[in-house]
Amino acid sequence: MTRCNRRRSGPLDDAGDDRLSPPGRPELQQILERRLGRRDLLAGALRSTALGVGLFAIPTLPVRGATTSGTDRFEFTEIRHGIDGTHHVPPGYEAEVLIRWGDPLFEDAPSFDPDNQSSRAQARQFGYNNDFIGFIPLQRTDDTVTRAVLCVNHEYTNEELMIPRLGPQERTVPPFRDMTAELVGIEMAAHGASLFEIVRVDGRWRVDRAAPRNRRLTVGDTGFAISGPAAGSARMATRADPAGRKVVGTVNNCAGGVTPWGTFLIAEENFNVYFSGDIEATGAEQENHLRYGVPVEWYAWGDFDDRFDISVEPNEPNRFGWVVEVDPHDPASVPVKRTALGRMKHEGARCLASKDGRVAIYMGDDQSFEYLYKFVSHDPVNPDDPSANRDLLDSGTLSVAVFNEDGTVSWKPLVYGQGGLDERNGFTGQADVLIETRRAADILGATPLDRPEDVDGDGLGNVFVLLTYNKAREAAQVDAVNARARNRWGQIIQLHVEGADHAADTCRWSVLVQCGDPKDASVNATWNPATSENGWFSCPDNCAVDHRGRLWVSTDQGMEWKTVSGTADGLWALETEGPRRGTGKMFFRAPVGAELCGPCFSDDDTTLFVAVQHVAADGARDYPGFGRDSSYEDPATRWPDFDPQLPPRPALVAITRRGGGKIG
Ligand code: FEO
Ligand code: CA
Ligand code: CA
């Protein structure tokens, strides 16, 4: 989310059971294969062994780097830096738009009609600003997945590009002028997530609007349960929910994750921007709210819905900023906000298997000087019965990272009664520790990072942490992991987890690459010299490790694309081991004004899904030949339709190889 970056400074500167039974429930075997396939490919004939001893039984494996030669592991012709109104893929690849903002998700949903938008229609259509993409296979033909369910997050809205005749407006206080209850309703319905089935016919993916799993989650209509240690706390209670156990809506859903038992995790990131009102009226919550940047009044929701006015509902912000678990196989199920995973501006929630069978979830808190967290479940995953894992994420240990100068990481547990997290510091129980995760992490001495964004791992104990940038870091605040002051380019940190023991309280770390222009000595970028003039990038944001254990990184440079790279955002392959470690290679380029999210590989690696977010929006002023802010009537591009009657639209793109085969 970069809109907040450009308008403001300060805290926002970065601103199987019966219920789950068929038809079409993915076989547990398929879930197992999904989680094991990557390790299988890396470690040789592991699959049969691992299946024999349990889902997460990972022996200590040699890291493949020991045998990697200096050859390029990525087989595609690199594309070039640049910027224009459309997307680009390497020769031999096809990129097809799968679904766009406003496309109907159900057989009876209305078609996209931008001149006659309504909250009712939007709640039945694909939402705005697609970010996380989760993929769970449902059917296979031979080795190819032919039906899957996707979960796509809708992070926020760009009204100036959504609503006709609103004009190019700056988000200032008060927010967008001339908002009405119906416009706010459209905004709320455009947030949340879309879950839907896709089918592959003749090699091409299509949305199946008649499929039983199709579902929208929105801010206005969807009820969520609150579970875990903070559920039922008096600090979670509101007039509508005196028990503090249920909440309407999810907001600012950024990246996410897929659990080994086949549910999706969607992360609530910049929840603070939806709240307005008088901070003084929030009494004992005042310090807590300020720590999270509440209120901001970026949206006018508080004027139309008391939930978002902290003067009326001082506890409502405590009910946002969580990781939400949703079961895609039961569209009537109530999604759950899992408080054991902490409250922060959650970028994502990547699940990795720990060697003892438990699940580890790595999570960045995306703001300058915030922290990296890890949740490890108390109990092991039950690989035989998905329903047995239904409440697995309600108990476990949340820890925060301290990066030591000696190349180790110490994970500090956020546990009530330990390390000063007690009455002396105002914590009366674990609910307080979790509601005020940030303050608890402060007390534990966590290492402030350069905006921790997405995280993913290769199943062998290599975990990649993307730090996007931090312009506010001063020279006196530089340390080994955040080595540059006024960091505008970001870096990628690699965690080395011995034996994939993610429950361990320590691991090693190293810098994979400091991003930015390698030709500019003042940037102090650390690319492998094998990197071409198109292979480097700035502002890493989202990532995916494919099923061969290879890292792919997408970028979000925001308004500053021109000065931090001069190229549009995109997707790069990045070597992580061997002599070519730190070599980037450009694969996809987004249209002007867009950041690139997703990315997500199908289980067979034959399709790469990417999410093109806020196309035409960011940095249009610096787009040669355009030179002004985009508006609905006058956008920098009308991707992906290029129809003069239609605005630019965030959309999902499915990338495949002509003639088939694995990506890259
Ligand atoms: Fe929503 Fe931190 O990107
Ligand atoms: Ca982003
Ligand atoms: Ca992001």
Side-chain angles (χ1 to χ4, degrees):
M1 181 174 193
T2 51
R3 279 290 304 275
C4 41
N5 303 345
R6 71 186 189 184
R7 304 301 186 206
R8 294 173 176 280
S9 58
L12 252 194
D13 103 303
D14 322 325
D17 60 345
D18 295 339
R19 186 177 59 94
L20 299 176
S21 59
R25 169 99 195 174
E27 296 298 321
L28 184 62
Q29 178 75 20
Q30 294 172 356
I31 297 172
L32 288 168
E33 287 174 0
R34 171 174 168 76
R35 302 313 300 174
L36 291 170
R38 179 179 303 165
R39 294 194 301 273
D40 187 346
L41 286 159
L42 283 165
L46 176 63
R47 180 169 299 180
S48 55
T49 310
L51 285 172
V53 296
L55 178 55
F56 291 131
I58 305 171
T60 301
L61 298 167
V63 174
R64 186 175 168 161
T67 57
T68 298
S69 71
T71 55
D72 184 355
R73 294 177 71 199
F74 297 97
E75 294 174 9
F76 64 87
T77 304
E78 184 170 48
I79 65 168
R80 299 180 63 82
H81 280 191
I83 189 163
D84 61 21
T86 193
H87 61 270
H88 299 269
V89 290
Y93 284 83
E94 284 187 275
E96 196 176 23
V97 173
L98 178 66
I99 189 169
R100 306 155 293 189
W101 166 54
D103 282 345
L105 272 175
F106 308 90
E107 282 188 303
D108 62 349
S111 300
F112 182 57
D113 181 356
D115 279 319
N116 294 287
Q117 297 180 48
S118 70
S119 55
R120 200 181 157 91
Q122 177 65 83
R124 305 285 288 167
Q125 298 166 334
F126 192 65
Y128 207 80
N129 275 346
N130 33 217
D131 198 301
F132 168 72
I133 307 171
F135 178 101
I136 294 179
L138 299 174
Q139 285 174 6
R140 292 169 200 266
T141 303
D142 300 323
D143 282 341
T144 304
V145 180
T146 51
R147 179 175 286 271
V149 56
L150 297 187
C151 176
V152 179
N153 283 349
H154 301 297
E155 188 177 19
Y156 69 111
T157 44
N158 289 78
E159 292 70 8
E160 77 280 16
L161 299 172
M162 294 174 67
I163 313 293
R165 298 171 289 280
L166 202 61
Q169 303 192 25
E170 299 258 327
R171 277 209 191 269
T172 54
V173 178
F176 277 109
R177 299 184 300 269
D178 309 325
M179 292 306 286
T180 63
E182 182 56 16
L183 287 174
V184 166
I186 292 168
E187 289 179 324
M188 289 185 172
H191 279 68
S194 294
L195 292 92
F196 53 99
E197 294 185 31
I198 55 173
V199 285
R200 198 177 213 176
V201 180
D202 296 331
R204 294 182 185 276
W205 290 104
R206 295 280 178 264
V207 174
D208 180 0
R209 288 182 196 159
R213 292 178 180 79
N214 296 3
R215 182 178 192 183
R216 273 302 314 278
L217 310 180
T218 73
V219 182
D221 298 337
T222 313
F224 295 77
I226 300 169
S227 76
S233 162
R235 301 178 65 183
M236 301 288 274
T238 63
R239 287 183 305 171
D241 174 33
R245 293 186 179 274
K246 58 186 183 188
V247 56
V248 176
T250 183
V251 293
N252 213 265
N253 308 95
C254 191
V258 181
T259 68
W261 52 96
T263 59
F264 291 112
L265 301 179
I266 62 181
E268 297 183 330
E269 195 186 21
N270 295 296
F271 63 91
N272 58 319
V273 304
Y274 303 94
F275 291 95
S276 55
D278 180 8
I279 187 69
E280 305 268 334
T282 64
E285 293 296 338
Q286 195 167 326
E287 184 189 351
N288 170 35
H289 290 339
L290 290 172
R291 182 69 179 82
Y292 289 93
V294 174
V296 166
E297 215 167 339
W298 200 42
Y299 284 83
W301 294 2
D303 294 346
F304 298 90
D305 186 338
D306 282 349
R307 290 192 293 146
F308 295 97
D309 181 346
I310 59 172
S311 310
V312 181
E313 290 289 1
N315 286 346
E316 192 74 48
N318 290 344
R319 295 144 62 82
F320 293 87
W322 305 103
V323 168
V324 182
E325 182 176 14
V326 57
D327 179 354
H329 307 294
D330 178 7
S333 61
V334 176
V336 184
K337 298 196 178 188
R338 301 285 183 191
T339 65
L341 278 62
R343 179 170 166 266
M344 63 193 78
K345 294 184 179 177
H346 279 286
E347 170 70 19
R350 295 289 177 160
C351 300
L352 296 172
S354 191
K355 73 170 187 181
D356 59 3
R358 293 186 280 173
V359 63
I361 304 178
Y362 287 86
M363 303 173 288
D365 181 355
D366 182 11
Q367 192 166 325
S368 293
F369 302 111
E370 291 300 336
Y371 310 130
L372 176 70
Y373 297 84
K374 176 181 73 170
F375 172 84
V376 179
S377 63
H378 180 270
D379 294 319
V381 174
N382 184 328
D384 303 316
D385 179 8
S387 70
N389 303 309
R390 189 176 298 152
D391 299 319
L392 197 78
L393 300 184
D394 285 341
S395 55
T397 303
L398 179 69
S399 305
V400 66
V402 177
F403 286 83
N404 304 307
E405 300 276 329
D406 67 358
T408 60
V409 174
S410 304
W411 290 99
K412 302 288 187 185
L414 280 76
V415 176
Y416 168 70
Q418 297 182 17
L421 307 184
D422 52 29
E423 280 72 6
R424 288 172 296 166
N425 284 305
F427 299 100
T428 65
Q430 187 66 12
D432 289 340
V433 170
L434 295 167
I435 291 168
E436 297 185 73
T437 297
R438 283 184 168 182
R439 191 168 70 85
D442 294 342
I443 290 167
L444 296 173
T447 301
L449 300 169
D450 288 345
R451 285 191 61 189
E453 296 252 24
D454 214 349
V455 180
D456 205 355
D458 67 359
L460 291 173
N462 297 297
V463 178
F464 309 103
V465 180
L466 278 55
L467 306 179
T468 194
Y469 62 82
N470 182 359
K471 291 181 284 186
R473 187 175 293 274
E474 297 180 6
Q477 298 172 303
V478 160
D479 57 30
V481 70
N482 309 279
R484 295 179 290 185
R486 307 294 174 202
N487 175 8
R488 299 167 63 214
W489 318 277
Q491 61 265 27
I492 301 177
I493 304 301
Q494 185 169 353
L495 306 183
H496 309 265
V497 182
E498 181 89 33
D501 180 11
H502 294 287
D505 60 9
T506 188
C507 65
R508 291 180 296 115
W509 69 270
S510 63
V511 177
L512 176 54
V513 64
Q514 292 184 168
C515 305
D517 187 349
K519 299 186 296 299
D520 182 343
S522 69
V523 170
N524 196 20
T526 61
W527 298 99
N528 189 306
T531 303
S532 82
E533 62 182 345
N534 304 298
W536 64 272
F537 54 82
S538 291
C539 308
D541 185 332
N542 293 114
C543 63
V545 174
D546 66 23
H547 298 82
R548 286 180 274 179
R550 308 177 307 172
L551 179 63
W552 302 73
V553 175
S554 66
T555 61
D556 176 11
Q557 305 164 112
M559 303 300 287
E560 306 218 339
W561 67 270
K562 188 176 180 188
T563 51
V564 298
S565 76
T567 182
D569 282 309
L571 183 79
W572 282 260
L574 183 60
E575 304 271 8
T576 59
E577 52 195 46
R580 291 176 62 86
R581 184 173 189 261
T583 305
K585 188 172 177 181
M586 192 173 195
F587 182 84
F588 181 90
R589 208 172 85 203
V592 58
E595 71 170 282
L596 194 69
C597 303
C600 171
F601 287 87
S602 62
D603 276 40
D604 49 18
D605 281 341
T606 62
T607 307
L608 167 60
F609 299 94
V610 293
V612 175
Q613 190 182 121
H614 61 68
V615 59
D618 280 5
R621 259 181 219 195
D622 290 323
Y623 181 33
F626 191 72
R628 55 196 181 274
D629 285 340
S630 285
S631 65
Y632 183 97
E633 287 76 15
D634 178 28
T637 178
R638 292 188 186 272
W639 187 94
D641 303 291
F642 300 105
D643 179 334
Q645 303 304 312
L646 292 177
R649 297 201 264 174
L652 242 63
V653 174
I655 304 169
T656 52
R657 268 176 92 153
R658 271 197 200 107
K662 293 183 189 293
I663 302 292

